[in-house]
Amino acid sequence: MGSHRRLAPSGFDRGALGVLSVATAAFGALAAVPAPAAPLDDTRAEVDRLYTQAEKATEAFNEAAERTGTLRRQVGESQDRVARQQARVNDLRERLGAFAGAQYRSGGLDPALALLFSDDPADYLDRALALDRITLHQASQLKDLQGALRELAQERAEAVRRLGELDESRRAVAAHKRSVEQKLARARQLLNSLPSAERAAYDRASRSGRGHLSGPGGAAASGRAAAALAAARSALGKPYVWGANGPTGFDCSGLVQWSYAQAGLSLPRTSQAQAHAGHRVPLSQARPGDIVTYRSDASHVGMYVGDGQVIHAPYPGAPVRYDPVGMMPVSSVTRP
């Protein structure tokens, strides 16, 4: 997203833009003193920084959202296990209750079984198993019930723990969402404060990257990679939408995930996880369809298309497009 617009000398030179502005004003017909270029450069640098931070927060949002979905499924599974175990406990209690009733009708209730109806079933179970009067069959039934109650308690504790994690994850999602929205709103505000000429220059600079870098091309490493690349190309021009993974809008990792899904391969949701979704290859050996992650924290990702270019969802306001693979420091190249 943002940091690839901090350019090397071979790309659009922002310092040169400031010098050019000053020179033009100095040699123009008017004698007015031009405004210094530094504040404009500072504004552009701040926009870059906010976009970079927003993208990192977006990937954190994606990760938290994915974890929330996983926890929600796990909570459902835990609740199902609790229900099944409760049914087993109820069944065992009914069987022991029926046995106790038969004893009562035949002349009296075994004291061990009478404890079944006490206020402290756990204490009953521990004491009942120690009594000599119960038969081997009764002891087996009591042990089954004791085990079932313990398992039920464990399942309930696990369900409570996962519900707590789910609640924490939901709060994390909300916090990351607020962070992204705040940073993007501030970036838009700063961009809107630039004169129209400066905004146009900023847009040209963001597209120029570090200049075209020649690089490996050739065929995709597999038919699946070729199909994923074709899907990514079909998304050209679609808007950047943070937290989205298609088909009408994408963030950076959403585009890569969606493209490979069209090729029949399920990839993780975040750029950091996608960096490990296959085997690493050197950038010099990249082939079309390979996943290219950026920055030391792998917070941005694109797909290599060949000839030194990637296709990616850059940042808000910029649609899915091609850019030089060297638009920012490459972290890794992964071949799914």
Side-chain angles (χ1 to χ4, degrees), residues 29-109:
L30 298 176
V33 178
L40 295 173
D41 287 340
D42 290 346
T43 298
R44 291 193 295 265
E46 179 65 6
V47 170
D48 283 345
R49 187 182 68 82
L50 288 166
Y51 274 151
T52 299
Q53 290 181 351
E55 182 162 54
K56 291 179 180 181
T58 297
E59 289 306 293
F61 168 86
N62 291 336
E63 182 178 13
E66 188 172 46
R67 175 167 171 74
T68 296
T70 299
L71 286 170
R72 190 178 291 113
R73 289 192 296 273
Q74 291 174 345
V75 165
E77 291 168 358
S78 290
Q79 290 172 334
D80 287 344
R81 288 194 297 269
V82 166
R84 288 195 297 270
Q85 197 64 24
Q86 183 65 65
R88 181 179 173 224
V89 166
N90 294 343
D91 180 63
L92 287 168
R93 277 178 166 159
E94 285 178 7
R95 280 191 275 158
L96 283 169
F99 181 79
Q103 278 204 332
Y104 179 81
R105 288 190 297 273
S106 65
L109 186 64

Side-chain angles (χ1 to χ4, degrees), residues 194-226:
L194 290 172
S196 57
E198 288 295 328
R199 284 207 62 176
Y202 181 89
D203 185 63
R204 289 195 300 273
S206 70
R207 294 190 65 87
S208 63
R210 293 175 182 265
H212 179 82
L213 300 181
S214 61
S222 66
R224 180 169 284 169

Side-chain angles (χ1 to χ4, degrees), residues 194-258:
L194 290 172
S196 57
E198 288 295 328
R199 284 207 62 176
Y202 181 89
D203 185 63
R204 289 195 300 273
S206 70
R207 294 190 65 87
S208 63
R210 293 175 182 265
H212 179 82
L213 300 181
S214 61
S222 66
R224 180 169 284 169
L229 181 54
R233 282 179 165 146
S234 74
L236 280 168
K238 296 289 178 65
Y240 181 101
V241 179
W242 74 266
N245 59 347
T248 58
F250 304 88
D251 61 21
C252 66
S253 57
L255 174 64
V256 173
Q257 185 190 50
W258 177 84

Side-chain angles (χ1 to χ4, degrees), residues 5-336:
R5 293 180 295 281
R6 297 190 182 97
L7 312 173
S10 60
F12 188 93
D13 190 333
R14 293 178 182 166
L17 175 63
V19 172
L20 179 59
S21 299
V22 172
T24 301
F27 290 100
L30 298 176
V33 178
L40 295 173
D41 287 340
D42 290 346
T43 298
R44 291 193 295 265
E46 179 65 6
V47 170
D48 283 345
R49 187 182 68 82
L50 288 166
Y51 274 151
T52 299
Q53 290 181 351
E55 182 162 54
K56 291 179 180 181
T58 297
E59 289 306 293
F61 168 86
N62 291 336
E63 182 178 13
E66 188 172 46
R67 175 167 171 74
T68 296
T70 299
L71 286 170
R72 190 178 291 113
R73 289 192 296 273
Q74 291 174 345
V75 165
E77 291 168 358
S78 290
Q79 290 172 334
D80 287 344
R81 288 194 297 269
V82 166
R84 288 195 297 270
Q85 197 64 24
Q86 183 65 65
R88 181 179 173 224
V89 166
N90 294 343
D91 180 63
L92 287 168
R93 277 178 166 159
E94 285 178 7
R95 280 191 275 158
L96 283 169
F99 181 79
Q103 278 204 332
Y104 179 81
R105 288 190 297 273
S106 65
L109 186 64
D110 190 310
L113 293 175
L115 289 172
L116 177 64
F117 305 102
S118 71
D119 293 332
D120 191 349
D123 179 62
Y124 149 71
L125 291 168
D126 290 334
R127 292 170 58 190
L129 290 174
L131 296 177
D132 295 332
R133 296 181 218 180
I134 60 177
T135 66
L136 184 62
H137 178 66
Q138 289 172 286
S140 175
Q141 286 184 314
L142 289 171
K143 283 181 179 178
D144 285 346
L145 179 56
Q146 186 178 44
L149 283 169
R150 285 173 178 164
E151 289 179 19
L152 178 59
Q154 291 171 354
E155 292 290 354
R156 282 177 172 161
E158 179 67 9
V160 169
R161 184 183 70 80
R162 291 196 182 280
L163 280 169
E165 289 184 359
L166 178 58
D167 186 54
E168 281 185 23
S169 187
R170 284 171 173 160
R171 288 198 298 270
V173 168
H176 290 308
K177 180 179 180 181
R178 286 194 299 271
S179 177
V180 173
E181 290 174 337
Q182 289 167 0
K183 294 179 189 304
L184 293 182
R186 177 58 180 156
R188 283 192 295 269
Q189 183 182 33
L190 288 170
L191 280 175
N192 290 336
S193 73
L194 290 172
S196 57
E198 288 295 328
R199 284 207 62 176
Y202 181 89
D203 185 63
R204 289 195 300 273
S206 70
R207 294 190 65 87
S208 63
R210 293 175 182 265
H212 179 82
L213 300 181
S214 61
S222 66
R224 180 169 284 169
L229 181 54
R233 282 179 165 146
S234 74
L236 280 168
K238 296 289 178 65
Y240 181 101
V241 179
W242 74 266
N245 59 347
T248 58
F250 304 88
D251 61 21
C252 66
S253 57
L255 174 64
V256 173
Q257 185 190 50
W258 177 84
S259 298
Y260 264 97
Q262 308 317 298
L265 180 63
S266 177
L267 290 184
R269 179 62 179 92
T270 67
S271 56
Q272 291 87 353
Q274 289 170 2
H276 300 283
H279 65 276
R280 300 285 182 84
V281 296
L283 178 59
S284 60
Q285 296 177 21
R287 296 177 66 179
D290 288 349
I291 297 170
V292 183
T293 51
Y294 292 93
R295 308 189 189 106
S296 59
D297 59 357
S299 57
H300 187 74
V301 66
M303 187 182 297
Y304 192 68
V305 299
D307 196 24
Q309 300 284 301
V310 293
I311 185 171
H312 68 139
Y315 56 89
V320 175
R321 71 189 190 198
Y322 298 117
D323 270 316
V325 70
M327 60 188 175
M328 65 180 96
V330 172
S331 172
S332 65
V333 179
T334 304
R335 185 165 296 158

